[in-house]
Amino acid sequence: MATCRMEPCQRTDHRLDATIQAQILDLLMPLKDEYGLSVLFITHDFGVVAQIADKVAVMYAGRLLETGDVYDVFDHPAHPYMAGLLKTRPVIGRRVKRLYSLHDQFPDPAVFGRGTSRAGRAAPRTG
């Protein structure tokens, strides 16, 4: 019988105190290394992604838009949606009147599957 070597972790960091979140990650990562596991970590937290991921996949409305090395995708996003997500992060020491918003910049998920998913956008990066 085959053994599963991947453990999906869907938003295990969601709504957690930062200390508890760090403790969970500190427990999870050594297990990954000890047992040679791949971990599919589903999150909206860029800090967690930067801390634990080697590869990243960016999705919108259930569609894969971009994949690649975590630092490459964060430093040079190929898809406008990922670039927009990165603009939403506040930067310490930089004052702005209003934070960047993705509102109304991308298709409504209800119509996303009707040929509008990549209209006028870069092809997804893979690698």
Side-chain angles (χ1 to χ4, degrees), residues 44-58:
H44 294 104
D45 188 326
F46 288 142
V48 169
V49 172
Q51 179 183 352
I52 68 166
D54 299 316
K55 301 278 186 184
V56 65
V58 180

Side-chain angles (χ1 to χ4, degrees), residues 13-90:
D13 60 329
H14 185 63
R15 295 184 185 169
L16 291 179
D17 163 285
T19 305
I20 300 299
Q21 176 179 314
Q23 289 174 353
I24 289 171
L25 294 175
D26 287 346
L27 290 171
L28 186 62
M29 299 319 290
L31 289 173
K32 174 182 121 3
D33 295 337
E34 181 179 343
Y35 293 102
L37 299 172
S38 293
V39 179
L40 175 61
F41 207 91
I42 302 168
T43 185
H44 294 104
D45 188 326
F46 288 142
V48 169
V49 172
Q51 179 183 352
I52 68 166
D54 299 316
K55 301 278 186 184
V56 65
V58 180
M59 297 182 74
Y60 177 74
R63 303 284 174 97
L64 184 62
L65 301 179
E66 180 171 359
T67 63
D69 174 82
V70 67
Y71 296 108
D72 189 35
V73 171
F74 277 29
D75 292 341
H76 309 285
H79 196 279
Y81 180 70
M82 181 60 186
L85 286 175
L86 292 172
K87 287 180 185 178
T88 66
R89 298 176 303 161

